[in-house]
Every structure is written in C-alpha cells, then in structure tokens.
Amino acid sequence: MTTPDYRLSQLETLEAESIHVIREVAAELERPVLLFSGGKDSIVMLELARKAFAPARIPFPVLHVDTGLNFPDVLEFRDKRAAELGVELIVASVPDAMARGVVREEPNGSRNRIQTPVLLDAVEEHGFTALFGGARRDEDKARAKERVFSFRDEFGQWDPKNQRPELWDLYNGRIHLGESIRVFPLSNWTELDIWQYVLREDIAIPPLYLAEEREVVERQGMLYAVNEFVRPRDGERSFRATVRYRTVGDANLTAAVRSEATTVADVIAEIAVTRMTERGATRGDDKVSDAAMEDRKKEGYF
Amino acid sequence: MGPVDVHSPAAEHAAELARARKDIVRIATAGSVDDGKSTLIGRLLYDSKAIFEDQYEAVARASKGDHVDLALLTDGLRAEREQGITIDVAYRYFTTPRRTFVLADTPGHVQYTRNMVTGASTADLAIVLVDARRGMVEQSRRHAFLASLLRVPHLVVAVNKMDLVDWSEEVFDRIADEFDAFAAKLSVPDLTVVPISALHGDNVVRHSPNTPWYEGPTLLHHLEHVHVASDRNLTDARFPVQYVIRPQTDGHHDYRGYAGTVASGVFRVGDDVQVLPSGLTTRIAGIDGPRGPVEEAFAPMSVTLRLDDDLDVSRGDLIGKPENAPTATQDLDALVCWMAEEPLRPRQRIAVKHTTRSVRAVVKELAYRLDVNTLHRDREAPELGLNDIGRVRLRATQPLFVDDYTRNRVTGRFILVDEATNATVGAGMLTPAG
C-alpha cells in the first residue's frame, strides 16, 4: 500500500481558502450580498458560494449594479444563472438613478465612477453589511494592497493607510451600524487560475469569452465590437475580425482581443503565453491615471 | 495579443496544468527601509517573466533617472510613491514551472511592524533583506525574530547591494556568521544566506560571475526547491465547526452537516470523534467535499462532516478524536504582538477570536515585555505599546480548545479585537504555561 501524500492541487488549495472565507462571512455578518455581474470572476464566486453551502441554498442574495451599458448576452446569462441556483437577484440601475437625478452622465462616457453612489444607495436601502466581490489582487496594484476582509466606513470608503491587520485566516468582521466589509474570497487567484477552474469544474460562461467572428472598429489601438453602444464614428470603418473578450465591463468601453480560442482550454493556452494584463489589453478606463483604481476605491468603488 | 497556435497539444497542456499538484509557496519579505526590497521583488517578478508588458511600460514611464525603477512595480499607492516607501502589505503572484508563489511584500518602517506580522502570519518562508554595507541592523533582528516567533519554517537572509562592497566574500561571511549567532538564540529550523544584487540581478534568478566564491543556490532556485510539504501538522485531528448546514428542503429533509476547514490532521468516514465542549462521542457518517462525498479529509480542506448521532453542535465547537484532544482552557498564556496606539494593560477587557470561536477575556497579567533586539525580558514593564511583544495571561469567559503554537499553528493562534473600536489590536501565539 502506498502512503497517501495528502496534498491538494493549486486549484483545490485556492478553492478551500475561498470557501472558508465565504462561510466565515455567512456565519459572522448579519446581511451579506454577493456582487454578481455575469462576468467570469463573479461566476466563479457564485459557484464557490454554491459549494460552500451545498446541499442547502446560498444563504444570501446577489446584487448587480447595472450601468445600462452591459452586453445583452451577459445580462441574459446573469438572470439564467441566478434562477438556476434559486438565489434572489437584486438589480440596482444606473439609468434609473440618472433619471431620478441622483447621478449625472460623465463627459467621457464612462459610468465607472457613477456606479459607486448607485451601489452605496443599494447597500443602504437593503442594509447589507458585507459585500462579496470577485476582485483579485493580480488585477491592479491598488488591489494588491487590499485585505481579504476590507473594512469600509459609513460612506463605503477605503483607507489604504488604515487597514485592519489581517492575521492568518482569522478575519475580523466586527462593524458598527452603517459600516460594512468588502470581502474578496478570490484575492489570491490569478486570471489563469480562474480559467483553469472554469475548465476543471466545467462552469458555464457567456459566449463573449470565446472567439467568434465579430464586426469591430479600431479605436486607439483597441478593437471594439460594433453593437448598440458602439457605432463607427466619422473616419472609422468597421470590419470583421475573430475576437473574444478577456473581461466584460461596459460594452462601450471594453475592448476585445484577436483570438482563435473557441474553447476554454484554448483560452487558457492563449493566456499562458500572453504578455499583456487583461485590463491593459481591454480597458480604456484604467488608463486615465496611474492611480485611477486607487482613487475610485477610496470613493467606495470595488 | 497576436493569435497563437492553441489547438490540441496546448489544450491538453492546459488541462494538465489544471490538474497539477503544484505547491503554493507563501513568502513574506522584510527588511529595513532602503534595503532594496521593492527592487528585489521587481527583479524576481521581472526575471521570472511575471511582469506584463503594459505593467512594465507604466513603470518605465513613471521612472525618474536613466534606469527602469523596478521598485515602482510594487509601490503602487500614491503616498508610497510620494515618500518612496512601502506603507502596506502588497501581495504579488508569480509562477515557475515548478511552483506558484504568493509573495507578501511587507514594509520595513518600524511603525508598520504590525504589517510585517500580517504578511508573515501565513508564510512558509521569510526573506529578510540586509544591506551589505550596513550589515545586521535593528530591523533585521526584529524581522528575523518575528519570523521565528510566527514559526515561519524557513528563513532566507538576502545580503543585498553586494556590488557596493566589491563583491567581498569577507563582508558576506561576516554578516552570515552574525546572523547564524543570532538565529541560534531563536527557533529558526532552516536558515539560508544568499549574496545578491537586486538592482543588477546577481544570484536572484541566475548565478553571478561576480561571486565565484559562492557555491550556494540562487535565491529563486532555493525558493523553488525548499521542502514545504512536511510543514503541516497531519497528526492531531482538529476540526473547528464553522457553519451548520441544514437545508430543510424536501430533497434533504434530514441533512445536518458541520462545515469547516480541517485545521490539522486527517478525518476518515467511520472515525470515532469527540465534540467539544460537550465531550460527547459519535462517528463520522460521511464527509462532503466541494465535489461531493469523499472518504477522507485533511488540512487545509474545506469540507462538511456528517455525524452518526444527532448531537447539539454549533459554530465554535471543535470536532476531534477522543484519544487525542486539544486542551480546553479559559486561561491563555501567549506571546502577544500588540498593534494599537492605545497600550495593552492588565485588567483590560478584550475580545478574542480563536479558530471559529469568539469570546471575551480579561488581561490577568503581563509577565514581561520582550526587547526584540537583545531578547531581554523586562518583567517590570507596566504595559505593551504599539509594536511591542510580550508574554500575557488572559482569562476567557468560556473555554477555548487550544494547542501550543509550536505544535499547531491553527489551534495555537488568536487575534485580539478592541470591543469599542472593533479594530484588530493584537496577535497571540499560545505557549505552555509557566
């Protein structure tokens, strides 16, 4: 008989760690909610939440801040997945907030910043005390600094200079009324880990993540698919190209990349050799300044 | 990104990667301000090709002077760039064909020592950087001591800026000897000393022609080969109950499972177990893992245990083995690292979080405050100030199920929380009484 080696694979280790975090929040915080956009990270989050409580249902609702500029495919996927799991889906709408005069459209067309007040309003309305996010530390240098349990004050603000020390896996979820904790169970995952997990667990994803011939325009060196939010401007000409998405943010600002990857395994093979980060390759909005993400997070953004 | 050939062989490779039993090795780096820590990390990431082109270009744009400042890869916050220092722990990831590394980049500034403890608490290995020109300084001792206190199993001393001491073997040997002598007073099970130049990359990923006298491994080679698998406790079965799962649905009407993370040891279906604090015994009827039932569970798996009998078990209880139980005690003797401005004083009330159990406690006694430079014990000290370490006795309102930290890093640790501010104010490691 051989001696068992009692080792977990890299993905099993990350999975165990994330499930531990999710259960800890459900046990200690009054009213958690999981931010679910239908993007790959939040899809993995939801799958981990399902596993954490199976065979019982996920004991908290999911929330989506809909900017009104989302890819229709992704919204469809969002609704379907929430229904399959029997979780309550709450949608906070940016266009509604604009109609009520709560927020105003920014001149650059990005709804990144105006999502924040809409999110904070929803948190207040429903009394959420903990918000699960799918953010990973490998995404951005400001995120690399964030704790797994990230304390936010009553304005939802992050203070990078005054974070709670986070020791071992002993998370401190104590808060006063009005304060909240942002929780990042995927902190230690990388983009490659996410894709490998999607493959390993055979998790469904929106078709946008896989390569297909799509009508695109080229803008500042990036390819944007033509859709109801992106029309060729003067001097631009659309053409057909085989592309996929590495991230799915707002349809007007998220670029696609040229790719031949038509399966998840193909996507992994491509990512393993790419020399660009997913945001660098696809997001116009992070290039505003070197500390764009840090500044948004201080205001209450994820 | 240009199209690459992704069909069959690559796809198979992807599937193979997903199954791979690669170790995740967690590293904490420490060192004094200006010892070049951020530069070393930048170098490790850059030379192991963990830096993406767009990140590198952003750093190149932000660099002042004629070379690309790799330190900017890690010092990401505005205040850090303004002051040229690292304020808070940053976590970085890089992968080699052998291993995946999670690197906690912890600050050297004395006022941020609590962050060093934060970074080191989960580490398998700590790297302490020393400036070859200055040798061991207070901060190097403090960081080596903290690593040993937290039982980080492996310590690496990287003697940096060797280019500025003419690659002197004598300087290197002197620092190595000094460290050996200091480490002998601590419990450092494994110490390795490497001469490097983080700025130029010598002995970081590739052997340096400038140190022909050095026959040891490069830093990365050591990180890739250090033996970490044996550092877990697989002997003492400990399962703190985290969450009770009771679906109460038609399909699972009678399901009652105790979810949690195996702290140490191994649990198998059919094992006799004992539940604390009740002391009642039963058997494991089933174990549910993330992909369904499994025959056994070991640390650090997150699973759900089903028991033969319907016992009253709730969060904060501990499932163990009758013949090998932890100590149930309300008296906690521990080394405490204090992390708040407001000092810790005898008679103070405080909240303790230990595994999944939270209790209130009172500080009965401060036995001594430890000088981390001389390891001298000051028995007259009236309090522990910010960044002080001392031996404390706490009396908890309810028993906790504990082991000594030296035997079990999970059941031997706790955090202290200020009940008024909710801040995490201390880290404790249990030691034998006396």
Side-chain angles (χ1 to χ4, degrees), chain B residues 46-59:
Chain B
Y46 185 69
D47 284 2
S48 65
K49 304 203 172 12
I51 303 296
F52 293 96
E53 278 168 21
D54 50 317
Q55 289 172 328
Y56 186 76
E57 281 162 17
V59 165

Side-chain angles (χ1 to χ4, degrees), chain A residues 143-170:
Chain A
R143 287 197 164 145
K145 297 270 172 182
E146 193 151 10
R147 305 280 193 252
V148 174
F149 268 45
S150 183
F151 172 78
R152 302 299 177 105
D153 66 14
E154 57 190 307
F155 303 103
Q157 298 177 109
W158 181 60
D159 179 1
K161 279 182 158 177
N162 189 27
Q163 302 193 74
R164 289 180 178 173
E166 197 156 88
L167 298 136
W168 302 289
D169 60 356
L170 290 171

Side-chain angles (χ1 to χ4, degrees), chain A:
Chain A
M1 195 180 124
T2 55
T3 320
D5 71 348
Y6 293 126
R7 285 168 71 194
L8 297 177
S9 73
Q10 179 175 338
L11 292 177
E12 286 163 345
T13 307
L14 292 169
E15 176 188 61
E17 188 179 286
S18 302
I19 289 175
H20 176 83
V21 171
I22 293 168
R23 286 172 175 166
E24 202 62 12
V25 172
E28 292 220 321
L29 282 131
E30 199 79 12
R31 195 158 157 71
V33 68
L34 187 147
L35 274 281
F36 181 59
S37 63
K40 64 181 187 303
D41 299 312
S42 61
I43 291 170
V44 167
M45 279 278 308
L46 200 54
E47 175 66 8
L48 290 165
R50 184 188 70 74
K51 288 181 168 151
F53 305 104
R57 279 187 190 173
I58 296 171
F60 40 76
V62 300
L63 169 68
H64 183 221
V65 180
D66 186 349
T67 56
L69 299 173
N70 288 287
F71 291 101
D73 274 10
V74 177
L75 294 183
E76 193 183 307
F77 183 90
R78 176 198 75 184
D79 295 346
K80 184 167 161 267
R81 191 69 189 126
E84 278 167 6
L85 293 174
V87 293
E88 183 196 355
L89 169 68
I90 300 166
V91 177
S93 159
V94 175
D96 281 1
M98 288 197 295
R100 284 183 285 123
V102 178
V103 290
R104 241 193 308 180
E105 187 87 80
E106 304 223 325
N108 61 8
S110 166
R111 291 185 182 165
N112 258 330
R113 284 197 54 206
I114 62 174
Q115 274 182 62
T116 302
V118 179
L119 169 71
L120 298 180
D121 278 353
V123 169
E124 199 178 320
E125 185 192 332
H126 295 274
F128 294 128
T129 52
L131 288 79
F132 288 107
R136 311 184 317 264
R137 286 174 178 148
D138 78 327
E139 285 178 81
D140 180 274
K141 54 194 177 303
R143 287 197 164 145
K145 297 270 172 182
E146 193 151 10
R147 305 280 193 252
V148 174
F149 268 45
S150 183
F151 172 78
R152 302 299 177 105
D153 66 14
E154 57 190 307
F155 303 103
Q157 298 177 109
W158 181 60
D159 179 1
K161 279 182 158 177
N162 189 27
Q163 302 193 74
R164 289 180 178 173
E166 197 156 88
L167 298 136
W168 302 289
D169 60 356
L170 290 171
Y171 301 107
N172 175 359
R174 286 173 179 249
I175 50 169
H176 288 121
L177 195 66
E179 297 167 343
S180 61
I181 304 277
R182 302 280 172 99
V183 188
F184 302 104
L186 302 181
S187 284
N188 288 329
W189 297 55
T190 63
E191 184 187 12
L192 202 51
D193 294 324
I194 293 288
W195 280 113
Q196 287 181 350
Y197 194 71
V198 167
L199 177 72
R200 186 194 157 141
E201 302 297 305
D202 197 18
I203 301 171
I205 48 162
L208 281 178
Y209 284 115
L210 299 175
E212 215 176 275
E213 198 179 280
R214 296 180 169 96
E215 191 76 14
V216 298
V217 291
E218 187 170 339
R219 239 169 239 176
Q220 290 156 342
M222 297 203 265
L223 298 178
Y224 293 86
V226 176
N227 53 41
E228 56 176 303
F229 310 108
V230 178
R231 298 279 176 226
R233 295 172 185 160
D234 288 347
E236 284 178 347
R237 226 205 176 106
S238 67
F239 56 97
R240 306 285 295 172
T242 305
V243 296
R244 68 176 169 87
Y245 288 84
R246 285 179 75 183
T247 66
V248 292
D250 283 354
N252 63 332
L253 285 173
T254 310
V257 294
R258 283 187 193 274
S259 168
E260 301 294 325
T262 54
T263 66
V264 173
D266 292 343
V267 170
I268 292 168
E270 276 192 3
I271 291 171
V273 297
T274 180
R275 300 299 308 142
M276 290 285 273
T277 63
E278 58 188 282
R279 289 191 164 261
T282 63
R283 292 291 182 95
D285 42 339
D286 284 339
K287 297 193 170 160
V288 181
S289 97
D290 202 39
M293 177 69 85
E294 179 187 350
D295 293 343
R296 286 208 303 271
K297 282 165 68 68
K298 283 180 181 167
E299 293 171 6
Y301 187 78
F302 259 88

Side-chain angles (χ1 to χ4, degrees), chain B residues 13-51:
Chain B
H13 177 62
E16 191 187 305
L17 270 177
R19 285 191 303 267
R21 275 166 199 266
K22 270 207 281 189
D23 290 316
I24 296 183
V25 178
R26 292 168 207 257
I27 303 172
T29 62
S32 197
V33 183
D34 296 330
D35 279 348
K37 198 156 46 66
S38 297
T39 309
L40 172 65
I41 291 162
R43 174 62 63 189
L44 267 177
L45 297 178
Y46 185 69
D47 284 2
S48 65
K49 304 203 172 12
I51 303 296

